[in-house]
Amino acid sequence: MGRRLSLSAAPRPGAPEPGRRGVGAREGWVLFSPVFPLAARWCVPGSGLRRGGVRRCQCREVQPSADCGSHPTNTAMEPHRWLPLEANPDVTNQFLKQLGIHPDWQFVDVYGMEPELLSMVPRPVCAVLLLFPITEKYETFRTEEEERIKAKGQDVKSSVYFMKQTIDNACGTIGLIHAIANNRDKMNFETNSSLKKFLEDSLSMTPEERAKYLETYEAIRVTHESSAHEGQTEAPSIDEKVDLHFIALVNVGGHLYELDGRKPFPINHGETSDDSFLEDAIQVCKKFMERDPEELRFNAIALSAA
């Protein structure tokens, strides 16, 4: 069971008032707890998105073109399943540190979509992780999107690092890998970095081969498990099914890509730049919200220069 957390910190001057609506076409981001789904609170800068209802991703891997929850046929082995990570910058930053990445870049909360709230995010930003609910509306859109892209095609640069997800609840770690792998020229890796070795070993692999390699890469699995026990909520049962999912948004070669291991390929969302990336990425996040206007369970964190 998780712990209920209250918004005890006082808002900064100019912060949005508690109760201000914040989803889809509305303003800001909502706080929620998947353990207590009715315990929703609105974002108050100064207390942080992760207080008052911390989120953990819990999703099931899929094969290409398969429905959520399917698993490769394997009668000899149990499905690969990890504990879900919490959508908490403190957790993700500690995770990256343990993987051997110098803290020149740090994840921070994104408090809302308005310009004054985005201005609170340190620049430059090189990646955004979005946590969102997998709903029937989203799954319908995902299927239609895949069919449309297969029919019309899209441009995806060969330099985009993309991997599939074949481990239950690993979407948080895969989102982190996508964020770092597509910005590795900016990162300062420690000499014995386990993530650096994983990226070097898997650079020439296919997305499916990278997923299989992660299944057997003990250093990342152990670090993930350690991080999954951190944060402000207790880790749920490993068998608990709550459909919350991480994706990464990155800038590669002047194009904004959505990287989701549940999808068969990256999604090109058009041109972007280092200066406009955060605003462009948040526009993509906004579309996720607008597709599910009744949903409140959205959260974003940005990988920013420390």
Side-chain angles (χ1 to χ4, degrees), residues 17 32-33 45 53 69 119 133 181 190 199 219-220 223 241 271 288 299-300:
E17 298 177 1
F32 72 94
S33 166
S119 70
E190 303 292 343
L199 296 179
I220 292 181
T223 305
K241 298 289 193 299
E271 294 184 356
F288 276 75
N299 180 52

Side-chain angles (χ1 to χ4, degrees), residues 80-82 95 99 167 173 214-227:
H80 293 276
R81 181 177 291 116
W82 293 357
F95 190 1
L99 291 176
I167 304 171
T173 290
L214 181 62
E215 291 178 6
T216 63
Y217 203 82
E218 193 69 4
I220 292 181
R221 185 198 65 79
V222 170
T223 305
H224 174 107
E225 182 175 350
S226 173
S227 298

Side-chain angles (χ1 to χ4, degrees), residues 35 42 55 69 89 103 134 145 166 169 178 208 217 223 266 301:
V35 181
W42 303 108
R55 299 123 315 221
I134 297 176
E145 177 188 57
T166 56
N169 297 337
H178 279 145
E208 292 75 19
Y217 203 82
T223 305
I301 55 177

Side-chain angles (χ1 to χ4, degrees), residues 31-73:
L31 299 180
F32 72 94
S33 166
V35 181
F36 297 103
L38 299 181
R41 295 182 183 271
W42 303 108
C43 166
V44 181
S47 62
L49 277 171
R50 58 192 181 280
R51 298 186 63 187
V54 185
R55 299 123 315 221
R56 290 181 182 266
C57 81
Q58 292 183 261
C59 59
R60 288 156 283 174
E61 96 305 333
V62 294
Q63 297 182 58
S65 303
D67 292 332
C68 179
S70 67
H71 196 277
T73 302

Side-chain angles (χ1 to χ4, degrees), residues 6 27 49 67 296:
S6 63
E27 302 162 340
L49 277 171
D67 292 332
L296 304 179

